[in-house]
Amino acid sequence: MTVGLEISQWKYLSDESGDPRMHCVLSVRVDGAGSAGGPDGPVLAQVLAVDCSSSMSWPVEKLHAAQQAALAAIRKLPDGTPFAVVRGDHRASMVYPDAPGMVRASPGTRARAARAVHDLVAGGGTCIGAWLDLCRRLLAAQHAPIGHVLLLTDGKNQHDDQMPLGPVLDACDGRFVCDAWGIGDGWDGRELVGIATRLHGSADAVREEQDLPAAYEKLMDGLVAKSVPELRISVTTMPGCSVRYLKQVFPHEAELTGEDGTNFVTRAWGDETRRYQLCLSADPEGRPRGEDLQLAVVAVDAPGTGARLPAPQPCLVHWTENPALSQHTDAQVEHFGQHQRLGEAVAAATDAHRQGLRDEAERHLGRAVQLAHAVGAAEHLDRLARLVRVEDARAGRVVLRPEAAAVDFERLITVSSHSTYGPSSGTAPGAGPAPDRATTRCPRCSGASPAAARFCPACGHRFEERR
């Protein structure tokens, strides 16, 4: 197995900024994960948490789709994989096996689990904290290095007082990965995204119930291909520098909690590339000008795998008084910044729609369309098109559809936590990007454009007059 690391950044910072911050994007790549060394026995332990609250009983297709999706996931489990099915309402209880614990996947256990899933009935309320707490206890008894929970719900966490979700997420953080899915029209997109980002998974939903089994099959195909429990990213800072945050920004957003603020654990890898945004605070006081200085060193480790690891890479800073240099932004940093602004626009549109402010919702959705168009987010644009008629994507001119439904806003919130890959750095690892890989912001429309551009591609503003 080989692990790769590249850093993309624009190294120039103004020495007159009151709170200078250096933003970098780390690209971490794993190749040959199937050849990684590791413990004997199964790599994955899987829990399926199925919402069986009373709202799942209508329409009848909803519970049927949840049952078929659970069965599709069970069929995908390799022999020997520990698994369990949990029933969720205002409590959490075992579906299969019938006593707390997990069993190994085999033709016999899969058939018995299928019969138990077919017998599920709906009733009761919703307490997601109780569901996750039972999942945590089940997985804690397993020795498989990758624990995973696939959670499905059609409602909001209305019985949170019985087992508050916040403390449960604290207890689950680092114990397993959770992917959270919505079904029907009564669930809360922000709630699912909050669970998934905290537990290093992703949130999503299907528009039609019959699409859920195929979505579960696809997700399980990717999951069973993962064989590396974790990679560790360490950030060693120089005097006068500190880590503000490191967060995953591709393929979806995920929170990372650092040990001592400098060592971060990422979970469940196969052959894939992920990208992380690193933000460093820097102090120019007493530092030389006009030369490259090292702010921090980033290293990646894959404990227990015997992998070939990349050389540590530096994050640089070049203090300058020249605004022609310091006003630019790295192309990757700008790309993921636009994704963040896209998520903020979606959240603002959802809030406005909930309050009955249709004109304001339309304005925020127009901004979301403009940003999704700029970053090439096809999935976002597809879901936005269910809410608005797009007249000019580049300009963000849209018309809110009269039939726009609240659940379509929730589906849009889940996909807003996903991101597109973004531009490549086009440079050697550790080096700052060439000028044509940096961006600058247009003073007229605030859009990003290549640093070497003469005109803004969005509004046509001429840049030469300010250079």
Side-chain angles (χ1 to χ4, degrees):
M1 189 179 85
T2 301
V3 180
L5 169 66
E6 293 187 4
I7 296 181
S8 186
Q9 67 168 130
W10 182 256
K11 63 187 177 183
Y12 297 98
L13 281 183
S14 170
D15 55 8
E16 298 179 355
S17 173
D19 183 20
R21 302 183 187 186
M22 174 57 68
H23 292 270
C24 312
V25 171
L26 318 179
S27 294
V28 181
R29 183 184 67 257
V30 170
D31 293 305
S35 63
D40 295 331
V43 174
L44 173 69
Q46 175 68 54
V47 180
L48 301 170
V50 183
D51 187 343
C52 293
S53 60
S54 57
S55 58
M56 287 289 290
S57 63
W58 187 261
V60 294
E61 292 83 6
K62 194 191 303 182
L63 182 58
H64 177 72
Q67 292 167 318
Q68 293 304 310
L71 296 179
I74 291 168
R75 286 194 297 268
K76 288 288 185 177
L77 292 174
D79 284 350
T81 302
F83 79 100
V85 184
V86 167
R87 181 186 191 277
D89 49 37
H90 53 281
R91 300 162 299 182
S93 57
M94 298 298 302
V95 174
Y96 184 81
D98 55 8
M102 301 181 72
V103 298
R104 299 293 182 96
S106 69
T109 59
R110 280 191 285 264
R112 289 189 286 274
R115 289 194 292 271
V117 169
H118 276 303
D119 290 339
L120 284 173
V121 294
T126 303
C127 182
I128 296 176
W131 311 353
L132 290 175
D133 184 67
L134 176 55
C135 294
R136 177 188 62 80
R137 289 184 277 121
L138 292 171
L139 290 168
Q142 301 299 314
H143 299 294
I146 298 177
H148 184 263
V149 172
L150 185 48
L151 182 150
L152 177 71
T153 184
D154 80 326
K156 300 177 177 64
N157 191 32
Q158 60 183 171
H159 289 90
D160 189 65
D161 58 320
Q162 296 187 14
M163 185 170 287
L165 182 58
V168 172
L169 290 176
D170 290 339
C172 294
D173 190 9
R175 304 294 182 181
F176 58 83
V177 174
C178 178
D179 291 308
W181 282 69
I183 187 173
D185 59 4
W187 47 276
D188 187 325
R190 286 177 179 164
E191 197 166 71
L192 294 192
V193 169
I195 292 169
T197 55
R198 184 68 184 276
L199 300 182
H200 297 209
S202 64
D204 213 331
V206 291
R207 184 172 177 82
E208 304 295 339
E209 280 84 357
Q210 64 265 26
D211 296 334
L212 188 64
Y216 264 38
E217 287 184 349
K218 182 178 179 181
L219 190 149
M220 291 300 299
D221 283 339
L223 184 63
V224 299
K226 296 183 186 296
S227 58
V228 180
E230 65 181 38
L231 294 186
R232 294 179 176 265
I233 302 174
S234 64
V235 184
T236 304
T237 56
M238 303 298 109
C241 175
S242 61
V243 177
R244 282 191 170 266
Y245 60 79
L246 178 68
K247 62 181 180 180
Q248 181 175 300
V249 291
F250 174 85
H252 52 261
E253 297 175 1
E255 296 180 13
L256 300 180
T257 302
E259 302 169 5
D260 302 323
T262 59
N263 294 286
F264 302 84
V265 179
T266 67
R267 306 284 178 186
W269 286 75
D271 285 352
E272 58 185 298
T273 297
R274 300 182 193 173
R275 288 185 165 177
Y276 302 87
Q277 185 166 348
L278 173 63
C279 179
L280 302 167
S281 286
D283 184 2
E285 185 67 28
R287 307 298 178 186
R289 307 309 194 253
E291 62 182 82
D292 292 351
L293 305 174
Q294 188 167 279
L295 276 180
V297 175
V298 178
V300 180
D301 190 18
T305 65
R308 291 192 296 273
L309 301 174
Q313 301 294 339
C315 297
L316 306 177
V317 66
H318 189 115
W319 298 108
T320 180
E321 300 175 357
N322 185 352
L325 293 174
S326 62
Q327 69 185 358
H328 298 318
T329 305
D330 173 70
Q332 288 194 33
V333 171
E334 174 61 26
H335 177 84
F336 293 112
Q338 287 181 313
H339 266 289
Q340 180 177 335
R341 292 188 286 276
L342 170 57
E344 292 167 353
V346 167
T350 303
D351 287 341
H353 187 263
R354 286 173 178 172
Q355 299 170 38
L357 305 175
R358 293 183 60 85
D359 290 346
E360 185 174 342
E362 183 178 271
R363 178 172 60 83
H364 289 301
L365 289 171
R367 177 63 174 153
V369 166
Q370 186 179 40
L371 289 164
H373 174 75
V375 297
E379 186 179 8
H380 299 67
L381 288 170
D382 179 63
R383 296 199 187 185
L384 282 162
R386 298 184 183 276
L387 291 164
V388 296
R389 185 178 73 252
V390 180
E391 296 183 342
D392 186 334
R394 175 175 287 187
R397 288 202 302 272
V398 303
V399 176
L400 184 62
R401 295 184 184 276
E403 69 275 18
V407 68
D408 287 318
F409 282 87
E410 304 303 329
R411 293 189 183 102
L412 186 58
I413 285 175
T414 61
V415 80
S416 69
S417 66
H418 305 181
S419 61
T420 53
Y421 190 74
S424 60
S425 65
T427 61
D436 64 351
R437 299 309 304 166
T439 67
T440 190
R441 196 165 294 283
C442 173
R444 175 187 291 173
C445 71
S446 298
S449 63
R454 296 175 59 192
F455 298 90
C456 173
C459 70
H461 177 70
R462 184 180 180 90
F463 288 151
E464 289 141 314
E465 60 196 52
R466 65 174 184 174
R467 297 190 176 215

